[in-house]
Amino acid sequence: MSFAKRRQPDGNDTDEENDAQIDPELRLRTVRTAASTIAESIRAESRAQKRKSVRTKRSRFFRKGSSEKKRPTTASSEAGAASHEVPGERRNVYVNHPLSAMEVDQYGEPVKTYVRNKVRTSKYTIITFVPKNLYEQFRRVANLYFLALVVVQVFPIFGAASPQVSMLPLVFIITVTAIKDGIEDYRRASLDDEVNNSAATKLENWRNVNQPTDPRSWFEKLLGLNPPGAVTKGVRKLRDREASAGRILLSKAGDGDDRNSIATTRDGVNDSRVSLGLRGAGGRRLEDIQSVDSHSYPPASSADPSKATLVNTSQQLAKEMGMRSDSISLYQQSRSSGVVDYSKRPLGSSRWERTLWKKLEVGDIVLLRDNEQVPADLVVLSTSDADGMCYLETKNLDGETNLKPRKAVQATSSITSEEDIERSSFILDSEPPHQNLYLYHGILKYKDPSNGEQKQESVTINEFLLRGCTLRNTTWVIGLVVFTGADTKIMLNGGETPSKRSKIEKETNFNVIMNFVVLIVMCAVTAVVSGLMDSQAGTSADVFEVGADPTSSYVLNALVTFVSCLIAFQNIVPISLYISIEIVKTIQAFFISQDIDMYYKPFDTACVPKTWNISDDLGQIEYIFSDKTGTLTQNVMEFQKCSIYGVAYGEGVTEAQRGAAKRQGAEDIDPEELQQNLVVMKDRMVEMLQRAFKNRYGRVDKLTLISPHLAQDMTDRSGEQRQRIIAFFRALAICHSVLADRPEPNSNPFLTEYKAESPDEAALVAAARDVGFPFVSRAKDSIDIEVMGQAERHIPLKTIEFNSTRKRMSVIVRNPEGRIVLYCKGADSVIYERLDKDHDPWLKEQTQKDMEAFANGGLRTLCIAYRYLTEDEYLQWSRTYDAASQAIKDRDEEMDKASELIEHSLTILGATALEDKLQEGVPEAIETLHRAGIKLWILTGDKVQTAIEIGFSCNLLKNDMEIMILSADSADSARLQIEAGLNKIASILGPPSWNPQKRGFIQGTTKASFAVVIDGDTLRFALDPALKPLFLNLGTQCETVVCCRVSPAQKALTVKLVKEGRNAMTLSIGDGANDVAMIQEANIGCGLFGLEGSQAAMSADYAFGQFRFLTKLLLVHGRWSYQRIADMHSNFFYKNVIWTFAMFWYLPWNSFDATYLYQYTFIILYNLAFTSLPVIVMGAFDQDINAKAALAFPQLYVRGIRGLEYTRTKFWLYMLDGLYQSAVVYFIPFCVWYFGSPVSWNGKGIDSLADFGTTVSVAAIFAANTYVGINTNYWTVITWIVNIGSSLAMMAWIIIYSFFDSPDFNDEVVVLFGNIVFWASVVVAVVVALAPRFLVKFIATTYWPLDKDIVREMWVKGDLKERLGIKHHRDLKKSELEATPMFLKPHSRSESEFSAINQDYEPALTRSPGDRGISAPRTAGYIDTPPLTTQDSPAPQYADLEQQMQYEAPQPRFRDQEYLQTPPSSGSWGRGSPASWRASYYSASDIPAPSPLPSPKYGYLSNTTSPLPQSSFSPTSFGASGRSGPSTPSHQTLQVPNSPGYGTPSAESFEMRVRSPPADDGRLQPYPAGHEDPSRGLSEASYATAPEEFADDGHDRRASAYSYSGPRAL
């Protein structure tokens, strides 16, 4: 594949920049390691930023003199789209200003109307429920067909026996489905109701000129409803409930005007930390007014203001949060009133009143309190902070829990009361509503009261509050409502609630249509032949059937026959199928909700299925789209490692390091063992620090930087490293924008908690605190810290904010010695560009190596640097920076230029490494899903570098991947990079194949694996219709795609692109409101109950507690559901074909007049009682393989991805099988009746239609039920009862109904049951009918078995159960003593109790050491464990750990139970006899393991005397090679361990190959070229499914793969 290089419109500069990312052969350059990926992403962003700047300068040059004004960009808008014109009509919002003549009608009322603030995410209303639900249900072709039949049967001419009864099934299924849909939608409507009726504070008795005087509709006016100015019932209830008191007065913190300043005292003690300033005339504070809401989004109830409010009296605090407030301060110092005209006399009637969210309108003035949620999209007019600052938590929108600073518009920041609002007059010229969360542009226009001059001020996203966000650390905010309801950004990103239908259900429509075609052909043939026979004259019908024809016209009679056949043969299109499916899916949903393995105790919740009709889609998922924050991670940061002057500190091991070690075949460290050693080292470190100094603010329980080496260097007063460490942590304690809070100032004054813009910042400052460098407090003119117990005060001078463009933050302070110091922290590449030219090269190189090692271990790195400034240099720069901060035009660019003047000539202090803690089991879950053939995409609102770090941490990105970074600032640049990426893949893998039969990603079958990392701007271009096909081709050829800085709408568009572009089954999973759009767009939406509220869980199809539960949901429940529904559909169509066509064969003998072969009650009861239950039980309970086997062999899931269980071929084969069997069950009794004696044993004739029809029906019912039994894989007691009971119920009905007086069914039990001819006919017919199916099934599973057939054979006949730790049923009775309470406690057995047999056993490690088990001792002679003394010893840092290990038998872990430990006898490990080992009296192998991994057992020692090489472990597989040399990778051979007790595995070994793809396209061969048979030389405990690479070159590949050369462990 090759593409022509396009000429770039941006000139040579752009070409040169692109050439840095694209090689001469037009292929995109790729990177591999985490450090190189992060560095390349920073370089790509830098290149894109330069190109954007060049383009901006050129466009500005060519537009000189133009009247068009350029919109100023903001620091927060870098993640959004580039500056462009938003489509739609701009809106003007007027405050105390008359509307223009163009915006009012002849009555002076506003022409423009805006949507209400009331939102609705439910699909139905009371009025629309019935018609809309009926429309959705009758989208099913079958329902339309059944409705037509019900209508036809009402007319007696068509001979319907009971039209009232025939309509009951359709009414039943429509009613049940409607009730289910109504219940699901009622939950959504309840959530909407909570949101809409949440409380807000609004300015009342004030004229909002943007709204009409009487906004009622003509209908409300006609009925006199809701007159203007009247208080509605809901608002009245709210106000009565809150007992509204006097007027609310506002004051700014730190404002010296006594008119508004109100001190807050508690118990007579003045609290200088908090200034609420919100008090009614009767002494009631605004905080006393409680909110009615009680959920996250919907809004959470306000916390206790004494605990929640955190406003420092110093207003410099806001500046230190990184906002450019200098110009605001200068503005306010000049005492300018802005929009407030103090000479204007206010009316004094307006006041703050409580109202409901749904009552807010565009143009309303709203008052927000601390911890309240924003009810609509607002522009900030004023805040309680003197500098106009406020802080916003946006996790409901973008998933980020960090606080974002916002500020008030300068012109309105002096507003503090209702009178000030009445005195104000201004216009807000706002852009139209759009989806971009990171971009807003408006212009505030007003007349300066002092001189009458027209002024305007730009309003950006920094002055904008979005609906759904939460106000934090700010006492009050006054805002102007700009967008309401459906126009708000959170709603525009949400999308409509879809009506989801499963893939099989959609395919069923085709099958129903085919059956309908068959039915039409049958009826047409019958009608034509009947008409022809009816037209013949001189037949016996003229004598015996006088008056039988409905009309005298042969054509009309034929049409009547046609419709009668439709009624008679209607079962070929089974309405009972839909009823049965609803029953089955309800049972499946119940089983999913009751799965104890998906129960999450911290939230006390199991998996909650909310949409029941799509469970079979869970078994066909090809792509998973996941959020990052809160879904893969806990959003908890831990300071794990650091590098100070080239010395690395920190002993923690990350998930990424452990995962990389596993993949490289290195020894995995047991987490329990590692944790125990970390505790010991932590105690040593704390003890050393406590001896050296007193840390009053330290919190030992929060200490995550564990390094005794660090404590030793810190306390070594003679060492040079001590001063370097002090300088490093002093920088961490000073260079930040953190707020220090003391939640218990009286009882625990030194308890300090930090609140920051991001969890990274808080983790850095907290780590410095716990090591001995606490940040104590911040005031306007001081930053107080402690340095190893000694207090220090630094004077803050300037803060240069952090943003994703600068990728650094700087703080300038005057230290206690009087010198001016600049501390800077940021990305390594950014800091290194600004280092001193004469910087120590060794320090640069060593720090860079440490940061690469940290980054490759999945840690977030920051480089810390500093420089000293002279007084003159600082003063000169300060004037430049102040001028830039007050610039009206291009302020951001001017400030960036000013910061460049001071951030240079830096000196490195060190580097930090933070770990974003993953949820438990995420790496293992991702690995299992990858092995199942599922591709994962991460869609996150975080920045690129953060997403890359998490990708490597959870093993989604690996060091052996070719990673492509896409970062473009224009559509042409994006096209060039995407085409270069396609060229790169094509040059290695060749042209892509989109054959549906080759779906499913199989690890290791390609020459290379690729991954794409793309940012939000580039994704916006890639989702353009012109580039969508190219990006789709690129993304779907990659193993992993990471999309960063994406909005909720972009997430949904990405899911839609893959779902529709590849016709793939998709699943989205997230935990916040920002994930709702993609959850609703995907075929399956999963929501996590989490810290970010319940919106995602409420909108999802399945809600559960942890990401790792996804493996059980998909690989077990999803696969079962898909298999069950597929088999159920096929068997349902089959059983209706065999029944219906038997009636069709009878037509030639009744002149094709649609006479029923069966008695009518049999037709009614066939699908109701005689054959439906076996199929329902199959759909509800059948299992082709056990759950543990499904998790142990995730590759079996690929059949679902490829849709091989429910194909049209399978449908037609079952139809043909039913056709054949219908002929058999009809013609065998027909021949017996035709050629045999028509006399029963009692002399009665058996030649009636009832006798013959009953015989055929009995044969057909026996055949149908037995056929379902043959296709059933898992026979339970219920299966036996239902399959046999259904046939017996049919026999019982014959007996019972025979004794009723009936014109067509008399004494049938007497006539037929006593006749051997009847029984022989039934038995022969059933055997002949089922024999072909039985033979085909036997031959196929014997000679052409599927993977699942092999696993079933291993399960039933082999030893797979033992390998997975499951006992056979026959052995359960032998282990009754294991259920005794004594078993739950350690119990040791004396050596004298050992039998002679047990002396030949030794404990075998048969589970992955990484699976939370306690490690076995590393002693020679124990299987799967290397000897302590080998030619190449393990890595030094872990050598000592191995010496201290004590053996504890790894027991399966139960919930809420500890491990069962078996203590060793003293000195037992030094003896040569294995009998000296004191084993537990009770066998641990009898406990079913909670995972598919085998439990510990005893295995015979192998005869080899050479040390066994260490195995490579994976979460669901084990492997150990008994010889040197490479063995088969996991993606090519799935092997089952040999039975214990046999020395040489050979015939007992089972092997499974994935045969689905052809040999030349990813077929998994048993033994690839150059590899030996892996079954030979395996130890008895091996379970080889993971890749093992051992060479014979003598190199010790068991050495630690953790690329970290820091201090040594114990």
Side-chain angles (χ1 to χ4, degrees), residues 61-131:
F61 174 78
F62 287 112
R63 289 203 310 263
K64 272 187 178 180
S66 172
S67 60
E68 179 183 354
K69 296 185 181 297
K70 180 185 180 297
R71 291 185 186 178
T73 57
T74 65
S76 301
S77 63
E78 68 277 354
S83 181
H84 65 285
E85 193 67 31
V86 177
E89 182 183 353
R90 294 181 69 88
R91 63 174 61 177
N92 290 328
V93 183
Y94 296 83
V95 176
N96 296 328
H97 192 288
L99 275 65
S100 65
M102 299 294 295
E103 295 177 288
V104 295
D105 57 17
Q106 68 256 21
Y107 304 107
E109 296 290 342
V111 175
K112 178 70 175 177
T113 57
Y114 303 104
V115 298
R116 300 174 62 191
N117 200 41
K118 184 176 181 178
V119 298
R120 185 168 65 85
T121 60
S122 56
K123 291 189 291 184
Y124 310 112
T125 64
I126 296 177
I127 299 174
T128 63
F129 175 72
V130 173

Side-chain angles (χ1 to χ4, degrees), residues 783-797:
I783 297 176
D784 293 328
I785 66 172
E786 284 192 2
V787 176
M788 299 178 70
Q790 302 297 317
E792 288 187 1
R793 173 165 291 185
H794 298 255
I795 301 174
L797 301 177

Side-chain angles (χ1 to χ4, degrees), residues 1335-1541:
L1335 291 175
V1336 169
K1337 188 177 180 68
F1338 170 76
I1339 294 172
T1341 54
T1342 304
Y1343 297 102
W1344 295 282
L1346 300 174
D1347 298 336
K1348 60 180 181 179
D1349 297 327
I1350 297 175
V1351 174
R1352 277 177 55 77
E1353 184 179 352
M1354 292 155 49
W1355 182 269
V1356 177
K1357 298 296 184 183
D1359 61 349
L1360 182 57
K1361 283 188 179 181
E1362 287 85 351
R1363 297 302 178 185
L1364 297 181
I1366 302 173
K1367 296 206 67 173
H1368 284 280
H1369 289 292
R1370 60 178 177 270
D1371 298 331
L1372 291 179
K1373 294 182 179 180
K1374 302 177 183 178
S1375 57
E1376 292 177 356
L1377 288 177
E1378 307 298 347
T1380 60
M1382 189 184 299
F1383 176 68
L1384 301 178
K1385 298 180 180 179
H1387 183 72
S1388 187
R1389 184 179 180 183
S1390 65
E1391 297 175 12
S1392 62
E1393 291 176 313
F1394 266 93
S1395 63
I1397 302 176
N1398 286 337
Q1399 294 181 5
D1400 293 331
Y1401 284 85
E1402 287 204 3
L1405 180 63
T1406 56
R1407 63 176 291 174
S1408 169
D1411 195 39
R1412 288 186 64 89
I1414 307 302
S1415 295
R1418 275 75 167 167
T1419 53
Y1422 288 93
I1423 301 171
D1424 281 340
T1425 56
L1428 281 176
T1429 55
T1430 57
Q1431 184 176 356
D1432 296 322
S1433 61
Q1437 58 264 42
Y1438 300 111
D1440 294 335
L1441 292 176
E1442 294 181 346
Q1443 297 290 343
Q1444 294 187 357
M1445 294 177 184
Q1446 296 296 324
Y1447 181 78
E1448 295 175 355
Q1451 306 290 349
R1453 186 164 60 91
F1454 295 97
R1455 188 166 53 86
D1456 299 331
Q1457 291 183 4
E1458 298 295 333
Y1459 294 102
L1460 307 178
Q1461 300 181 353
T1462 305
S1465 59
S1466 60
S1468 60
W1469 299 120
R1471 306 176 186 177
S1473 172
S1476 62
W1477 178 65
R1478 299 182 64 183
S1480 170
Y1481 184 80
Y1482 298 108
S1483 171
S1485 63
D1486 291 338
I1487 312 174
S1491 67
L1493 307 180
S1495 297
K1497 294 179 296 297
Y1498 297 99
Y1500 285 101
L1501 284 171
S1502 58
N1503 296 326
T1504 177
T1505 58
S1506 61
L1508 298 174
Q1510 179 59 29
S1511 304
S1512 174
F1513 296 91
S1514 69
T1516 56
S1517 58
F1518 302 85
S1521 175
R1523 60 179 65 210
S1524 296
S1527 63
T1528 310
S1530 63
H1531 59 264
Q1532 295 193 344
T1533 304
L1534 293 176
Q1535 296 180 349
V1536 182
N1538 308 301
S1539 302

